Amino acid sequence: MSKKKVLVIFGTRPEAIKMAPVVKALEKEAVFFETRILVTGQHREMLDQVLDIFQLRPDYDLDIMLRAQSIGDITRRVMEGVEKILKSFSPDILLVHGDTTTSFAAALTGFYHKIPVGHVEAGLRSRNRYSPFPEEMNRTLTGQLADLHFAPTKGNEKNLINENIDRERIFVTGNTVIDALLSVVDSKFDFQEPELRKMDFTRRRVILLTAHRRENSGAPMERIFRGIRRIAEEYEDVTVVYPMHLNPEVRAVAKRVLGEVDRVLLIEPLGYLPFAHLMQRCFMILTDSGGIQEEAPALGKPVLVLREETERPEAVAAGTVKVVGTEEDKVYLAIKSLLDNPLEVLEMTRAINPYGEGRSAEKIVEILKGRFGTGKTKGTKGGEK
Ligand code: UD1
Ligand code: UDP
């Protein structure tokens, strides 16, 4: 039988981290699959950091990033670029990830060419079409376009069934972010960054901050940062470390509110290796990121989510994640409460992992083999249930 041609498409930092294990698992099955990587370059530096660490070599790079690019621009340029590659490579299946505009635009292009689409990290929902924006709509539409849905959890599967997706096409696989995380977390690690090298993690309580969501851009982000500034000013044993996202709008607010504040370190985005170790060593995490809400429970780190709702209720149910919103006082009080109450921290530090044991990519590849008649499939033919 001829090899099946798989085109793996991604463009931003989190997609690259979460697709890296899938690419590696596909490459192990080179007898069955001819795998090619297409990066859109929706992100540049932040994407390249991940390509380096996982030694991923793209076959195609659309290099579409522009400064402060609009969502419409990304959509148009991804569709134009992907279409050309579909014509020249003619894949048997496209794999896209999650909820970015790269993923949605690539899935739509695949659909127009009647090429099946596999959606990795399918079925997450906040039920608010404007939050996260545009991710909630991107992932909902990608769900409608996809032929195979790789849902991290049973809850995600249920969301898809509620949207009339054929249950025979949904596979609960866990989240590949755990595969990625487990592959980099190593107890023997020394930071190269001077600020982190000299940090005494035993004496200082390091609060790790990340923030980049579009719906938080402007006033909500300003309120969040003001709440955090009050904490840094009040607690002498606290250092806030913020590897700033490269989005210029985010950086402008961060520098304005937190730039001159003692005990706040504004640094450049970290590679995945140092970032994972910083998550491991810090006292707590403040974030509006999706991926970090999945990684932190696996590491047993308390997370306060700087958003009004989350599409990751499993991490909240596990007890390691609390949603605090974007009001200055709420942010300030939630952090203060953890800093002042060791018991509350203890309750949030049980390492519970609702997202699988780090074998999600392997499962996805097994399912793909089934799909192409080289292994087991779901339901009556056996395999995933
Ligand atoms: C994008 C995704 C979001 C995802 C996030 C992960 C969309 C619309 N947004 O948001 O779903 O959660 O990535 O981080 O798909 N920039 C650089 N270098 C980089 C990356 C970004 O300079 O490596 C700057 C550019 O000026 C760029 C801007 O950041 O125009 C915004 O990037 P963009 O991909 O449009 O949106 P994000 O906010 O990063
Ligand atoms: N991350 C990283 N370096 C950083 C900040 C985050 O490697 O400086 C990783 C983090 O561990 C997670 C992913 O990037 O795996 C999350 O990316 P981001 O917050 O940009 O996107 P989201 O998950 O919100 O879509």
Side-chain angles (χ1 to χ4, degrees):
M1 194 173 47
S2 63
K3 287 190 192 188
K4 294 295 171 190
K5 297 201 271 184
V6 183
L7 186 62
V8 184
I9 304 181
F10 50 87
T12 66
R13 169 173 67 190
E15 290 164 82
I17 290 170
K18 292 167 165 182
M19 283 302 228
V22 178
V23 171
K24 300 283 171 200
L26 281 165
E27 284 172 350
K28 277 194 194 148
E29 299 286 357
V31 188
F32 299 116
F33 298 115
E34 179 185 352
T35 304
R36 293 201 190 168
I37 303 175
L38 187 166
V39 297
T40 63
Q42 179 178 333
H43 283 177
R44 192 68 275 165
E45 301 89 331
M46 286 160 55
L47 172 70
D48 294 344
Q49 279 182 323
V50 184
L51 298 178
D52 282 351
I53 172 84
F54 289 108
Q55 296 177 325
L56 299 173
R57 285 172 202 87
D59 298 282
Y60 312 101
D61 189 338
L62 305 181
D63 201 18
I64 65 157
M65 197 190 84
L66 297 173
R67 197 179 144 80
Q69 59 207 343
S70 79
I71 299 171
D73 264 341
I74 302 171
T75 311
R76 180 175 55 77
R77 300 177 73 219
V78 169
M79 290 190 75
E80 277 169 7
V82 169
E83 182 151 57
K84 282 195 190 123
I85 310 301
L86 294 188
K87 284 182 183 159
S88 63
F89 180 51
S90 303
D92 294 293
I93 188 164
L94 303 183
L95 294 183
V96 300
H97 185 278
D99 55 20
T100 67
T101 295
T102 280
S103 311
F104 163 60
L108 182 58
T109 314
F111 172 74
Y112 286 157
H113 286 262
K114 298 200 175 138
I115 296 171
V117 173
H119 188 198
V120 179
E121 198 183 89
L124 281 68
R125 296 289 181 271
S126 67
R127 302 283 168 221
N128 178 348
R129 56 164 53 198
Y130 289 111
S131 178
F133 175 85
E135 291 82 7
E136 177 71 0
M137 192 53 76
N138 280 346
R139 61 192 168 213
T140 305
L141 296 173
T142 304
Q144 290 300 319
L145 296 165
D147 298 86
L148 295 177
H149 309 261
F150 302 109
T153 68
K154 282 270 175 202
N156 302 145
E157 178 186 45
K158 200 160 162 244
N159 290 338
L160 292 168
I161 292 171
N162 288 342
E163 290 171 14
N164 297 323
I165 304 288
D166 177 0
R167 61 177 74 213
E168 289 298 305
R169 293 178 178 275
I170 310 171
F171 302 86
V172 178
T173 57
N175 196 313
T176 58
V177 76
I178 303 297
D179 310 26
L181 183 67
L182 297 183
S183 75
V184 299
V185 174
D186 173 354
S187 53
K188 303 183 300 293
F189 179 82
D190 292 318
F191 291 109
Q192 298 304 311
E193 298 71 17
E195 311 87 334
L196 299 177
R197 256 186 114 81
K198 59 179 189 234
M199 181 75 68
D200 184 347
F201 287 88
T202 56
R203 283 167 192 255
R204 301 206 62 74
R205 292 192 284 181
V206 172
I207 298 182
L208 174 56
L209 165 66
T210 84
H212 71 81
R213 295 248 82 86
R214 271 174 203 253
E215 71 277 7
N216 281 349
S217 194
M221 211 166 269
E222 180 140 4
R223 296 195 298 265
I224 291 170
F225 292 157
R226 281 204 306 262
I228 294 168
R229 184 172 66 193
R230 280 162 65 188
I231 292 288
E233 286 166 351
E234 190 173 322
Y235 288 84
E236 288 188 7
D237 68 331
V238 160
T239 302
V240 177
V241 179
Y242 180 12
M244 281 182 296
H245 194 286
L246 291 177
N247 188 332
E249 285 187 30
V250 173
R251 293 168 80 85
V253 184
K255 285 184 180 161
R256 181 153 40 80
V257 183
L258 294 171
E260 304 302 320
V261 181
D262 280 349
R263 300 187 281 273
V264 174
L265 289 178
L266 300 183
I267 60 176
E268 293 308 313
L270 290 169
Y272 191 47
L273 210 57
F275 190 80
H277 284 84
L278 189 53
M279 281 196 286
Q280 229 178 0
R281 291 186 207 177
C282 72
F283 176 75
M284 70 161 116
I285 301 173
L286 310 176
T287 192
D288 63 8
S289 156
I292 294 169
Q293 292 177 61
E294 297 154 346
E295 292 165 333
L299 298 173
K301 276 303 152 185
V303 179
L304 300 180
V305 176
L306 307 167
R307 291 167 50 181
E308 301 300 339
E309 70 270 291
T310 181
E311 61 290 89
R312 280 137 172 122
E314 301 84 2
V316 177
T320 52
V321 166
K322 276 186 193 160
V323 179
V324 301
T326 61
E327 296 303 325
E328 177 182 333
D329 274 350
K330 284 190 182 158
V331 171
Y332 166 77
L333 289 171
I335 307 170
K336 185 174 174 57
S337 181
L338 281 178
L339 287 170
D340 293 347
N341 298 300
L343 272 181
E344 196 181 327
V345 176
L346 204 63
E347 275 172 19
M348 290 182 77
T349 49
R350 281 184 304 264
I352 300 173
N353 178 0
Y355 297 109
E357 304 311 317
R359 294 187 47 246
S360 303
E362 240 174 79
K363 288 185 189 169
I364 290 168
V365 171
E366 276 308 304
I367 294 158
L368 289 175
K369 282 166 76 180
R371 161 87 181 183
F372 292 116
T374 51
K376 289 178 177 174
T377 53
K378 195 178 180 181
T380 51
K381 295 181 198 130
E384 280 291 309
K385 255 292 180 200

